[in-house]
Amino acid sequence: YISPFDNYDVIAGQGTVATEALHAQPNADKLFVPVGGGGLLVGTLEVVAVLKANGVVNPNLKVIAVILEGNDSLLRTLENGGTPTPATRLDTLTEGAAVNQIGEKPAKLISMYREHLEVMVVSRNDLAETHNHLKNRNHTYPPDEMTSLLTHTGARVLAKKRDRYSNPEVWLTMTTGTNTSPEKTLELEQHH
């Protein structure tokens, strides 16, 4: 068994996504990352720390960890000094990020890179509204080339920033693979 987030090799592999994104957009101000078990987040934080130290990216770049309300293991872990702490309640609407407790290895590493991190909490309403906008595509929705519905894990990253596209900052958003069941999609649409 290889953990999808509590394994150093997996974390390093997940960090390559941030490496590619930041080499393409080194002037980014914010990089939004959906959080479940913490592997993608830690891999991203490690890359950001190294690229900042080497002057490759914007020195003010922040990694924004995006969590769904209730799935707050990351926040609780940070409050407990890096000790992995279970979520208050687990909302499985975002299946790909529905992890009750952040991994031990990510928890240790996240604390090391705290200076590069901010946390954004989004609600089911935020997610449902963004999902609806993306699904209907009755308007220009940056990036214009987006042609398919983002997964729920990725869409929740957009939920809070949807009304802030006029901001002059450069924002990058990581989305994760299509791993949402038709039942969860229907649940989200019914919630809207």
Side-chain angles (χ1 to χ4, degrees):
Y1 172 77
I2 298 173
S3 171
F5 55 83
D6 205 11
N7 176 291
Y8 290 124
D9 290 332
V10 171
I11 290 168
Q14 291 175 334
T16 63
V17 177
T19 302
E20 291 179 25
L22 291 170
H23 279 342
Q25 289 288 339
N27 60 332
D29 297 289
K30 291 184 174 54
L31 177 55
F32 292 81
V33 180
V35 178
L40 179 62
L41 176 62
V42 170
T44 299
L45 286 167
E46 288 182 323
V47 165
V48 165
V50 168
L51 294 179
K52 277 182 165 183
N54 290 303
V56 176
V57 297
N58 178 349
N60 299 315
L61 172 66
K62 285 289 186 184
V63 175
I64 313 297
V66 183
I67 62 173
L68 185 60
E69 275 179 339
N71 295 1
D72 59 355
S73 177
L74 171 63
L75 285 173
R76 299 184 78 212
T77 297
L78 289 170
E79 289 167 1
N80 287 326
T83 301
T85 307
T88 303
R89 62 176 167 72
L90 187 62
D91 188 333
T92 61
L93 184 62
T94 55
E95 291 177 301
V99 177
N100 187 50
Q101 182 172 298
I102 201 161
E104 287 183 31
K105 292 170 179 71
K108 273 189 233 174
L109 294 170
I110 286 169
S111 297
M112 292 173 51
Y113 300 109
R114 186 71 174 101
E115 68 187 274
H116 307 290
L117 178 66
E118 292 178 12
V119 180
M120 175 185 287
V121 179
V122 296
S123 69
R124 278 180 157 234
N125 289 340
D126 294 326
L127 181 56
E129 189 175 330
T130 299
H131 173 89
N132 190 53
H133 279 282
L134 290 171
K135 179 181 175 189
N136 292 326
R137 301 256 313 129
N138 293 334
H139 57 290
T140 302
Y141 204 97
D144 293 331
E145 63 271 16
M146 181 169 29
T147 57
S148 63
L149 179 65
L150 292 173
T151 63
H152 298 158
T153 312
R156 72 189 178 141
V157 175
L158 292 171
K160 281 288 187 183
K161 60 184 221 170
R162 196 185 84 258
D163 296 325
R164 294 189 259 167
Y165 276 115
S166 61
N167 192 325
E169 292 184 330
V170 176
W171 291 4
L172 299 176
T173 303
M174 287 193 184
T175 59
T176 56
T178 304
N179 55 5
T180 303
S181 67
E183 293 81 17
K184 289 296 176 184
T185 301
L186 181 60
E187 182 181 344
L188 186 64
E189 290 173 357
Q190 288 173 342
H191 183 83
H192 186 263

